[in-house]
Amino acid sequence: MLDQTPVADIRNLRVEFQTKDGPVVGVKDVSFTINPGETVCIVGESGSGKSVSSLSLMRLVEFGGGEITKGELLFDRGQGAEDVAARSLMDMRSLRGNEIGMIFQEPMTSLNPVFTVERQLTEGLIIHKGMSKAQASARALELLKQVRIPEPERRLKQYPHELSGGMRQRVVIAMALACEPRLLIADEPTTALDVTIQAEILALMDRLKRETGTAVMFITHDMSVVAQMADRVVVMFRGEKVEEGPVAEIFANPQHPYTQALLAAVPRLGEMTGKDLPEPMKLMGAEVEPTPIPGQDKVLLEVKNLVTRFPVKGGFFRRTVANVHAVEDVSFSIKKGQTLSLVGESGCGKSSCGRSLLRLVEPLAGSVMLDGVDVMALSETELRDARRDMQMIFQDPFASLNPQMQLADQVAEPIENYGLLSGKEKMDRVAGLFDRVELPRSFMRRFPHELSGGQRQRIAIARALALNPKLIVADEAVSALDVSVQAQVLNLLMELQAELGISLLFISHDMAVVERVSHTVGVMYLGRIVEMGPRRAIFEDPQHEYTRSLLKAVPVADPTQRKSEKDLNFRPIPSPIHPLEYTPAPSSYDEVSPGHFVLEGEWAGYKRATE
């Protein structure tokens, strides 16, 4: 039986941030404990104070302008609990990375770009454990094997930019576990990962927790991840703890209205079973029943045999030595007022495909017809005019907005660029767009940094709508949003589609969201569409091996349906890089039911990769 003295005991924590308008309370009177070998999930939306709680325990909150003004942070080092809040910052160095490990949300910012993976893994072991260089290197290799990184010997010598997102996150987990900490803090560790890699990393953390008896404080806004990982759940809202309890109880019988609203906003896989058409989600407090969106029968976009490759340079003269086959022989069509979703893992080519349509990336071959216009044959000037009809919403709204411009000017910019309206008419149109995306007009004078992530994404949508486009390419447009904000933004996109007849190319790796919004679904793997058909056919009768394993990996927001590592049979994806002389075979499809196509043959892909 594990010793039940809590590893961490947070009592009446209060954290304040000083701003030009006076102090802002980030966390007020929050208390909870974490026992050995237990996973406590802290859930809530952006700004609810969940990350501030974890940064306080590490005493990192002070480096971000915060101050612990009240409360005790008791941490058990094995010889009895001591108050971390009362220790000097110098003393904290022996705790951080040694007895408390932390996995941050964005692996690229928590790894040093100029050091190899080996150097970053061995640093903590040499400082905290007093190991020699050789011992630390051997332990580093062992850790990479533990987190199941392929070819670990080679990875040790590589730099962070040479690894994929999923691999970087595994390196960060290995670093956090290197000194066998008593407490592991995981702050949104899977938010930016694909469903398959997320499933593997969650199963990996669960296994490592069981093997080492480490206590885990897991911070997330994804309720299906909570269902998969938690023993106990702490729900936070506006800096306060509003509910706490065992995971099964929180899901089966949530008491606080905020917890109920949070669970109601989770898109669950299988909710759309039996329905042919997408429809908005019914949110808490909504009176009207959502209406399905039929769209039209006229085709708006016709893509045929699209090929996009990126050169790989090498050698002394930086010659092209190989090509990345990002998009390989892809064909599809989108009808007016309908949504086609492209799904697949990182690196499968879905974003490159979306950018190729707008010629933000120049395709190598293929044809793109938008409402009778051949996009590939247009000159630069003609392309600029054609882009009025096709707009893009990017994944990261902060990166696609100008930090120095007021929001009204950013939304008005496309209207100005095309000289459509001026003066009062233009500002009326902008104010109307703010109304349409449900943002108060008082926000028009604000700057991007003054908004939350969900509000910034609404600005990006308003800007995309400014020119009344016929097609919007939404590239992972809701993947970084909180669950309730995500539900609102998805509903907004679907309502605008029904009202304005806009066609959407929706690029995502979130299968539950795709099931909610799509008329048609294309599953991409290694640059090709391996299965394509009506949404209902893909989700209720998947035919390709890869589609089935993708659906199997989706975490379910139900703690009684947890997935174990043996349920996940993923293998590393083969490399999409091929020598210059390589000629890929054309794609040919079987029509298994009306409009439902599956890539023929044991095509280089999945079967061989999973044997």
Side-chain angles (χ1 to χ4, degrees):
M1 182 70 190
L2 287 167
D3 171 25
Q4 282 310 302
T5 310
V7 172
D9 184 354
I10 293 175
R11 296 181 185 172
N12 307 323
L13 173 67
R14 183 183 177 92
V15 180
E16 293 183 5
F17 292 84
Q18 297 303 325
T19 69
K20 58 180 185 290
D21 301 325
V24 170
V25 180
V27 170
K28 46 189 171 215
D29 281 339
V30 168
S31 305
F32 58 88
T33 59
I34 305 169
N35 296 318
E38 179 182 48
T39 300
V40 174
C41 276
I42 317 290
V43 295
E45 304 187 308
S46 302
S48 64
K50 50 189 195 304
S51 292
V52 173
S53 310
S54 68
L55 292 170
S56 302
L57 195 54
M58 293 279 271
R59 292 283 299 282
L60 292 171
V61 76
E62 284 133 278
F63 296 98
E67 189 189 347
I68 299 167
T69 55
K70 187 180 150 216
E72 292 177 291
L73 300 168
L74 302 176
F75 181 72
D76 179 22
R77 303 186 72 174
Q79 298 97 28
E82 49 187 88
D83 186 2
V84 172
R87 300 189 66 173
S88 73
L89 285 173
M90 199 63 199
D91 285 347
M92 287 301 297
R93 292 181 64 176
S94 63
L95 266 183
R96 283 192 210 119
N98 183 19
E99 293 182 58
I100 306 177
M102 184 141 186
I103 304 166
F104 292 95
Q105 180 169 356
E106 179 40 74
M108 201 57 196
T109 53
S110 49
L111 291 171
N112 190 325
V114 297
F115 291 152
T116 60
V117 167
E118 181 172 27
R119 167 89 186 261
Q120 300 190 55
L121 277 168
T122 54
E123 190 177 27
L125 294 164
I126 292 167
I127 292 169
H128 294 304
K129 297 291 183 201
M131 289 185 178
S132 68
K133 221 168 172 184
Q135 287 171 320
S137 291
R139 171 80 176 131
L141 183 63
E142 193 185 306
L143 284 161
L144 288 190
K145 286 177 180 165
Q146 218 176 1
V147 296
R148 306 236 169 122
I149 279 192
E151 304 174 75
E153 292 85 356
R154 194 168 131 235
R155 303 289 173 222
L156 280 175
K157 304 287 177 251
Q158 289 183 309
Y159 290 87
H161 72 269
E162 298 178 87
L163 306 180
S164 71
M167 277 196 208
R168 285 200 286 261
Q169 196 59 289
R170 284 162 192 248
V171 170
V172 173
I173 291 174
M175 279 169 70
L177 293 168
C179 296
E180 296 172 344
R182 294 175 67 80
L183 173 67
L184 181 64
I185 300 173
D187 188 357
E188 303 270 14
T190 60
T191 299
L193 301 180
D194 296 322
V195 52
T196 50
I197 297 166
Q198 169 174 295
E200 284 188 342
I201 281 182
L202 292 179
L204 162 80
M205 285 178 68
D206 206 42
R207 174 170 61 84
L208 295 173
K209 177 194 82 171
R210 284 197 310 274
E211 287 171 3
T212 59
T214 300
V216 181
M217 177 175 172
F218 200 104
I219 295 159
T220 183
H221 63 248
D222 186 335
M223 295 308 281
S224 33
V225 170
V226 175
Q228 177 72 18
M229 295 296 288
D231 297 312
R232 256 183 323 121
V233 181
V234 173
V235 182
M236 288 190 69
F237 179 59
R238 293 187 183 160
E240 295 182 75
K241 179 177 88 172
V242 293
E243 190 163 354
E244 180 180 0
V247 63
E249 219 161 280
I250 293 278
F251 274 81
N253 189 18
Q255 296 297 311
H256 194 276
Y258 176 68
T259 317
Q260 294 166 356
L262 208 56
L263 286 164
V266 178
R268 288 179 166 84
L269 203 61
E271 272 184 327
M272 300 293 288
T273 303
K275 296 179 181 177
D276 289 318
L277 296 172
E279 58 184 55
M281 290 179 73
K282 189 172 190 327
L283 298 178
M284 289 275 288
E287 299 300 316
V288 262
E289 280 297 317
T291 48
I293 302 164
Q296 301 170 25
D297 271 344
K298 186 168 184 270
V299 171
L300 174 79
L301 180 78
E302 184 78 53
V303 177
K304 285 188 178 158
N305 313 109
L306 190 68
V307 177
T308 302
R309 294 178 192 159
F310 300 108
V312 177
K313 307 279 187 193
F316 187 68
F317 295 108
R318 309 292 298 144
R319 291 199 179 109
T320 302
V321 292
N323 281 313
V324 179
H325 290 241
V327 180
E328 199 55 65
D329 199 15
V330 163
S331 304
F332 58 82
S333 62
I334 306 179
K335 292 178 177 173
K336 285 193 173 177
Q338 291 202 359
T339 300
L340 165 75
S341 291
L342 287 180
V343 292
E345 295 172 84
S346 291
C348 72
K350 53 190 191 300
S351 288
S352 299
C353 184
R355 286 162 189 254
S356 301
L357 303 183
L358 277 73
R359 280 179 56 191
L360 295 173
V361 171
E362 283 292 339
L364 189 73
S367 80
V368 177
M369 299 292 289
L370 179 75
D371 214 8
V373 176
D374 184 354
V375 177
M376 290 302 159
L378 300 177
S379 67
E380 286 293 317
T381 324
E382 292 167 330
L383 180 62
R384 186 176 180 279
D385 289 338
R387 283 199 180 136
R388 278 178 60 176
D389 290 336
M390 42 185 186
Q391 289 290 307
M392 187 140 186
I393 303 169
F394 294 94
Q395 178 169 2
D396 180 359
F398 200 63
S400 60
L401 294 171
N402 185 333
Q404 295 171 319
M405 276 171 77
Q406 288 185 337
L407 299 174
D409 297 333
Q410 307 214 34
V411 173
E413 199 175 18
I415 302 170
E416 266 172 37
N417 283 349
Y418 287 95
L420 299 181
L421 300 167
S422 60
K424 185 174 182 309
E425 282 182 322
K426 181 183 75 182
M427 290 330 282
D428 285 348
R429 169 102 176 107
V430 170
L433 287 163
F434 270 73
D435 295 344
R436 177 149 267 169
V437 297
E438 292 169 16
L439 284 176
R441 291 186 179 194
S442 59
F443 278 32
M444 288 168 68
R445 304 260 68 85
R446 288 194 182 185
F447 291 90
H449 70 270
E450 296 178 276
L451 305 189
S452 71
Q455 289 167 338
R456 285 200 284 264
Q457 198 57 286
R458 284 163 190 253
I459 293 291
I461 292 170
R463 190 176 56 181
L465 291 171
L467 297 169
N468 287 329
K470 295 171 182 170
L471 172 74
I472 290 182
V473 177
D475 186 1
E476 300 275 14
V478 295
S479 62
L481 301 181
D482 290 326
V483 51
S484 68
V485 179
Q486 173 178 296
Q488 289 164 11
V489 170
L490 285 175
N491 278 3
L492 169 70
L493 277 172
M494 292 162 86
E495 282 153 20
L496 292 168
Q497 178 175 46
E499 200 180 314
L500 306 171
I502 297 170
S503 300
L504 276 173
L505 176 66
F506 193 85
I507 296 166
S508 179
H509 61 251
D510 187 331
M511 299 300 276
V513 167
V514 165
E515 187 189 30
R516 168 64 60 183
V517 302
S518 316
H519 293 82
T520 314
V521 177
V523 180
M524 280 189 83
Y525 177 77
L526 270 185
R528 303 210 188 212
I529 289 181
V530 295
E531 186 164 0
M532 158 90 75
R535 193 265 346 270
R536 196 171 160 185
I538 299 288
F539 280 87
E540 294 177 30
D541 184 25
Q543 296 290 317
H544 196 278
E545 199 57 41
Y546 179 65
T547 313
R548 288 176 185 167
S549 40
L550 211 52
L551 287 166
K552 195 189 263 185
V554 179
V556 185
D558 180 352
T560 60
Q561 295 182 36
R562 293 195 170 179
K563 294 178 165 53
S564 68
E565 249 178 324
K566 63 177 187 296
D567 299 335
L568 307 167
N569 58 346
F570 285 100
R571 302 285 181 275
I573 293 181
S575 171
I577 300 173
H578 296 287
L580 295 175
E581 60 278 7
Y582 172 75
T583 323
S587 308
S588 61
Y589 293 88
D590 266 339
E591 189 168 6
V592 289
S593 64
H596 186 180
F597 299 91
V598 182
L599 196 64
E600 273 185 335
E602 301 287 293
W603 168 75
Y606 207 66
K607 287 280 165 51
R608 287 217 284 277
T610 52
E611 270 160 15

